[in-house]
Amino acid sequence: MTQGDPLWEVFVRPRRGLSHGHVGSLHAPDAQMALRNARDLYTRREEGVSIWVIPAESITASSPDEKDAFFDPAGDKIYRHPTFYEMPQGAEHI
């Protein structure tokens, strides 16, 4: 394993959790080695039940610098807010 190896992002699902959480990154030549290294590095105390490794180059993310422009379009769609609708009579669990 060298710094020239691809970067992998590691997600672990804990025993008591329902979803995977990002725990860190590592370099490995392939997915199988990344998975084994992630197990050894991030679950030493048997705190996980599932591990995902994802090539960092495959992740597409929004930029924190553009958060206002990226998320603002949802603000003018009032029909997405629960206050836009009236509850019908007799509907208790919607």
Side-chain angles (χ1 to χ4, degrees):
M1 178 172 59
T2 66
Q3 287 300 97
D5 289 333
L7 181 66
W8 299 81
E9 298 301 327
V10 181
F11 297 81
V12 173
R13 184 172 64 120
R15 287 182 187 263
R16 296 189 179 149
L18 296 177
S19 59
H20 289 73
H22 185 257
V23 294
S25 307
L26 56 83
H27 290 272
D30 58 44
Q32 290 305 314
M33 183 63 77
L35 197 57
R36 285 194 291 271
N37 290 347
R39 177 200 60 206
D40 295 344
L41 187 61
Y42 295 108
T43 63
R44 293 183 199 160
R45 296 181 188 99
E46 300 178 10
E47 58 269 70
V49 295
S50 176
I51 301 172
W52 292 345
V53 291
I54 299 156
E57 68 182 23
S58 296
I59 296 174
T60 304
S62 62
S63 169
D65 297 336
E66 298 171 354
K67 70 177 172 95
D68 292 336
F70 189 76
F71 291 104
D72 272 352
D76 64 352
K77 297 177 175 75
I78 62 168
Y79 56 84
R80 293 185 177 178
H81 300 283
T83 56
F84 181 77
Y85 300 97
E86 290 184 25
M87 291 289 291
Q89 279 192 337
E92 297 177 19
H93 303 288
I94 292 183

